[in-house]
Amino acid sequence: MKPGNHTFSVSEFLLLGLSEHQEQQPLLFGIFLSMYLITVVGNIAISLAIVSDPHLHTPMYFFLAHFSLTDLGLSSTTVPRMLVNIQAHRHTITYAGCLCQIYFFLWFIGLDVFLLAVMAYDRLVAICHPLHYTLVMSPRCCVLLVVMSLILAQAYSLTHTLLLAQISFCTDSIIPHFFCELLPLLKLSCSDTYANRCVLTYWGGALTILIPLLIVISYARIVAAIVHIPSASGKWKAFSTCSSHLSAICLFYVSAIGVYFIPSSADSASKDRIAAVMYAVVTPMLNPFIYSLRNRDMKSALKRLLSRTALQSP
């Protein structure tokens, strides 16, 4: 079959969603609307607290503010569209809309991964080289690290999207997912997807193997440094600054591994949907709680933000 003959035969895709049972749609709408509102409020509150509180104008919280906004963008790429589809009883998405959704979804996923690596590096410098921390993690360095993360995430997303735009799709346009995801789309193609899969393997290896390996090495050095801290209170303080970040890393990568590393089965589509809900919806919702509940400075900043908001309200 020649690829060029069917490039524009598909003008839209049908998203099966999380469930094909109509009686479950109102329940799913309520659950995901609630989760999305919690995500929006939580991540915006974290960002506003960091921006408005001078005590949090440090590299660690600078990266956390960007991470919160990235999580908000990641959730906003998929959930609102799904809610509209449920409410309108129309589960289609145009070809251009599908490519657009994939572009932003991959961009925010890549940015999440790179920011997690940057935050691990920040903790490494803070705990292993405390005397040089302010010199190494200067404002210029922090901005440069975020800009580099943005550029790398852009390269990751744009490469996949441009390659996806070159392949053709046959008459089967049903995506067994609640948003346009890369792997299900590649399975629908009637073109040769060798280049797409090679790029997916290389980038996937970088994002799911190389960067986690660098994070593990960073935390191995951090643990070694914490062990040599003489006082118990010093050890606890050093560990507490890393525990939230470690929790976020574990939550993100465990769900990602569920998609890309667990062998396919007869119920592979359902497994992929559940794993995608974990890293694209649940993780962005939980991260504000992870970073605030055990962080005294963040809790104080949030209380001050709420107090100022209450005083300014009529």
Side-chain angles (χ1 to χ4, degrees), residues 127 232-242:
I127 294 174
S233 61
K235 289 180 180 179
W236 173 250
K237 183 178 179 181
F239 177 75
S240 64
T241 62
C242 302

Side-chain angles (χ1 to χ4, degrees), residues 162-206:
L162 290 177
L163 284 174
L164 191 62
Q166 303 304 312
I167 66 175
S168 56
F169 297 94
C170 303
T171 53
D172 185 8
S173 59
I174 299 175
I175 302 176
H177 221 298
F178 65 96
F179 68 98
C180 283
E181 218 268 352
L182 186 59
L183 288 177
L185 267 177
L186 291 179
K187 292 177 182 178
L188 293 180
S189 173
C190 54
S191 301
D192 182 9
T193 59
Y194 177 76
N196 302 74
R197 295 186 182 278
C198 283
V199 171
L200 182 63
T201 300
Y202 294 138
W203 271 111

Side-chain angles (χ1 to χ4, degrees), residues 239-257:
F239 177 75
S240 64
T241 62
C242 302
S243 59
S244 298
H245 184 237
L246 276 173
S247 301
I249 291 171
C250 293
L251 186 62
F252 180 85
Y253 274 106
V254 166
S255 55
I257 287 171

